[in-house]
Amino acid sequence: MSDEQELDQRPRFELGDKVRICQPIRNDGTFVGQPMGKILALPGDEGYVVYISTFLQRFYIYAVHCLTKGFVVGCRAKELELVEKNP
């Protein structure tokens, strides 16, 4: 799926889905209290999708509550893989 067409499709993940982070997630400046560029989550970290929003009217952003970190990070679909579908 190309980035330009992402919002033309349904979100890949749904609220409550358990996901695993596949790429390091760095602070892009939107995570208050942490320096820009700091790694917030690592590949293998798991959590649940708690909110879905959009960015630049092009991409879905999945707010993932990382269980081991205890906070929520924003991720693109390409940075996540499904662990368990919300029933």
Side-chain angles (χ1 to χ4, degrees), residues 44-69:
D45 287 347
E46 294 182 350
Y48 291 90
V49 176
V50 295
Y51 186 76
I52 301 170
S53 62
T54 61
F55 181 66
L56 297 177
Q57 298 178 345
R58 293 175 57 195
F59 313 114
Y60 287 109
I61 300 295
Y62 300 90
V64 177
H65 180 227
C66 292
L67 301 175
T68 58
K69 306 293 185 196

Side-chain angles (χ1 to χ4, degrees), residues 68-85:
T68 58
K69 306 293 185 196
F71 53 74
V72 176
V73 295
C75 303
R76 299 259 322 266
K78 66 183 182 180
E79 299 168 324
L80 300 170
E81 65 183 5
L82 184 66
V83 173
E84 183 178 303
K85 195 80 176 148

Side-chain angles (χ1 to χ4, degrees), residues 3 8 13 16 28 30-31 34 46 51 77 79 83:
D3 288 341
D8 291 340
F13 306 103
D28 61 1
T30 58
F31 197 96
Q34 296 295 325
E46 294 182 350
Y51 186 76
E79 299 168 324
V83 173

Side-chain angles (χ1 to χ4, degrees), residues 10-19 48 82-87:
R10 291 184 49 80
R12 190 176 307 170
F13 306 103
E14 296 179 14
L15 294 178
D17 284 354
K18 186 174 184 181
V19 293
Y48 291 90
L82 184 66
V83 173
E84 183 178 303
K85 195 80 176 148
N86 184 26

